Amino acid sequence: MNVYLNNIYITTLQFKSLGLVNIAHKLALIKSNLPDSPFVWIVPLALVVCSSLWGLTTKRIKGKPVPDIKEEKESSPSPSSPPSSPSKSYNLFADLPPEMVVNILSILDGKELASVSQVCKKNYTFISECNSLWRDMFMKRWGDESDAIPSSGESWKALYTHTAKEEQKRLSFEPYVYLLSVMEQCAEWTDAKIWKQQRTANPKWWWVERFIEEMANLEEVYLIINEGEESREYTPTGKIICKGSQEVIGEFRFLSVADTKRKFSGVYLELPNLCPYTGNTLGYINFTLYPIVQRIANPERIIRKGVAEFLRTVTYQTRGILARTDTNYYTHIVRLADFPLENVTDRLGLSDGNALLETEKDSPYIQNIISGAQKVLELADFEGYGLKVAYVTSTHNPIRLMGDLNGKSLAGLRMKIWVYYCSILKDENMWMNFRFSSSR
């Protein structure tokens, strides 16, 4: 066992010295799992597999000599077809049961597996015909987002290859500047009955239809899906148009969560959702706004109003994280804010009703705000004054404080509430100092 450990350690260092960090990492993982595994054959076999991935039988890689690796006289096989003759240098499958070989090959991704299959005819035949290997690879990569299975006469390898090509084609677009996550629980979207029907009929993209419906109610701008893409299964794209001038002021595309994480790599994609009132991430909107991105110095007032209305609505209706894909700067649209309770006594209630995520009386959100404010009053010993936080109908902000203060001040009493970030348009890092309409 110690011999195997020493060999894998030396070989790992050789891979690192050549800049092959990914392969070195795989070897390190095998080494870390080795003491708990009875299969001592894993190490030498894994070394052979990983070596064959990069053709290390040649004397040089990018002009650098390879230490301790014998030069091969045979030329490298063509990547487009199986080699004409097997290489004796890689007896990958000798004396090993097929299931053990599959276990080793399963640590590789699609590109690496294709490289191993080009080493010799035996590798090519085994890998090409190993349906379980390609099935497991398909499930590992797309199992959570696709229920596809091979059609009659089709192999799992063929399905994997086809799906990989479709994915590559789908994600070959040039990203727009802004990326916004769409959360599941968004207020004021279409009727609940329609929501249920759409979610059942189209579980992957129901939120796109609902979003387009909601944005149709804007006064200054409207959205259109590009011609011929209304029935596309993935990444529908469209334009943002100013109603007054009929000028195209931006473009957008919708992305699934999986495709977004494959296309982009910002830290904002891995942040946990801490707000209990927004639900899971349904997908993403990747969009651009020409007046902002092109830094138009003095756009017409109607254009500025349209841009401001679109951004206020799209951020409020999605409740997610907004990021710039060019700088990776991001901000949370919904955040936990600190509110002074003395604001509840004025005509605006909790500072500004626009910040509330919803205003339905029986919603858990409103009920938690009311009970939370009441608890703060009780802890501050205000029970004797008959103060009560109540819900008032037909008002911009329904949260109100009822009772006689009797001169006792609420100054210093505060509570934390999940609210919409109303100052989103004032974020200079996000909008690059773009001058919005003055009525903001």
Side-chain angles (χ1 to χ4, degrees), residues 121-144:
K121 278 187 175 180
K122 193 169 186 178
N123 286 20
Y124 181 87
T125 301
F126 182 89
I127 293 174
S128 296
E129 297 177 356
C130 186
N131 230 16
S132 62
L133 177 62
W134 290 99
R135 179 198 61 210
D136 293 346
M137 288 183 58
F138 183 93
M139 293 301 177
K140 184 165 59 177
R141 185 168 179 84
W142 297 294
D144 293 337

Side-chain angles (χ1 to χ4, degrees), residues 128-399:
S128 296
E129 297 177 356
C130 186
N131 230 16
S132 62
L133 177 62
W134 290 99
R135 179 198 61 210
D136 293 346
M137 288 183 58
F138 183 93
M139 293 301 177
K140 184 165 59 177
R141 185 168 179 84
W142 297 294
D144 293 337
E145 55 189 288
S146 174
D147 55 0
I149 59 174
S151 57
S152 178
E154 183 185 30
S155 66
W156 277 101
K157 179 185 178 183
L159 179 60
Y160 181 97
T161 302
H162 172 76
T163 307
K165 288 180 179 179
E166 286 293 307
E167 179 185 278
Q168 184 179 20
K169 180 181 178 181
R170 188 170 67 246
L171 300 182
S172 62
F173 61 83
E174 187 68 25
Y176 296 134
V177 173
Y178 296 103
L179 187 66
L180 178 61
S181 54
V182 181
M183 308 308 291
E184 186 174 15
Q185 297 174 19
C186 297
E188 299 178 10
W189 278 20
T190 52
D191 184 81
K193 294 180 180 178
I194 301 177
W195 175 81
K196 291 179 180 178
Q197 292 173 356
Q198 288 180 330
R199 186 163 188 169
T200 302
N202 191 358
K204 184 176 181 181
W205 292 113
W206 64 271
W207 58 273
V208 172
E209 299 174 19
R210 297 205 59 207
F211 177 79
I212 292 294
E213 289 178 10
E214 179 62 28
M215 298 298 283
N217 297 324
L218 299 182
E219 296 180 358
E220 306 293 340
V221 298
Y222 65 94
L223 276 58
I224 61 170
I225 299 293
N226 287 333
E227 186 177 355
E229 297 191 0
E230 293 86 349
S231 60
R232 283 182 63 174
E233 184 181 349
Y234 53 78
T235 59
T237 62
K239 295 178 176 62
I240 306 165
I241 300 177
C242 178
K243 287 184 178 180
S245 64
Q246 290 300 302
E247 180 179 349
V248 177
I249 62 173
E251 296 182 77
F252 64 90
R253 68 169 52 85
F254 297 104
L255 295 168
S256 68
V257 173
D259 278 353
T260 301
K261 291 187 176 182
R262 293 183 185 119
K263 182 68 176 181
F264 302 95
S265 58
V267 63
Y268 47 83
L269 297 175
E270 306 301 332
L271 295 176
N273 177 30
L274 301 178
C275 177
Y277 305 108
T278 55
N280 298 321
T281 303
L282 294 174
Y284 289 82
I285 304 173
N286 181 213
F287 67 93
T288 188
L289 291 164
Y290 300 143
I292 297 177
V293 174
Q294 297 174 3
R295 301 196 178 190
I296 299 176
N298 190 27
E300 296 180 18
R301 183 173 181 273
I302 192 173
I303 299 296
R304 287 187 278 117
K305 286 182 64 178
V307 169
E309 182 190 41
F310 171 80
L311 289 175
R312 286 196 201 97
T313 307
V314 76
T315 51
Y316 184 80
Q317 295 295 349
T318 55
R319 314 291 177 86
I321 296 176
L322 178 65
R324 288 188 66 108
T325 61
D326 53 351
T327 64
N328 280 339
Y329 175 80
Y330 67 90
T331 187
H332 291 265
I333 301 301
V334 172
R335 50 186 64 188
L336 194 60
D338 201 28
F339 273 90
L341 251 65
E342 58 186 323
N343 283 5
V344 185
T345 62
D346 66 22
R347 64 184 182 84
L348 293 179
L350 283 171
S351 182
D352 184 1
N354 287 334
L356 296 177
L357 299 183
E358 58 180 304
T359 56
E360 291 295 326
K361 179 180 180 180
D362 296 327
S363 69
Y365 175 73
I366 290 295
Q367 289 301 313
N368 285 340
I369 291 178
I370 293 175
S371 62
Q374 193 68 45
K375 186 175 181 180
V376 172
L377 292 174
E378 293 173 1
L379 292 175
D381 197 23
F382 274 77
E383 291 182 286
Y385 293 89
L387 299 181
K388 182 179 181 181
V389 182
Y391 181 92
V392 179
T393 59
S394 304
T395 180
H396 177 61
N397 186 335
I399 308 297

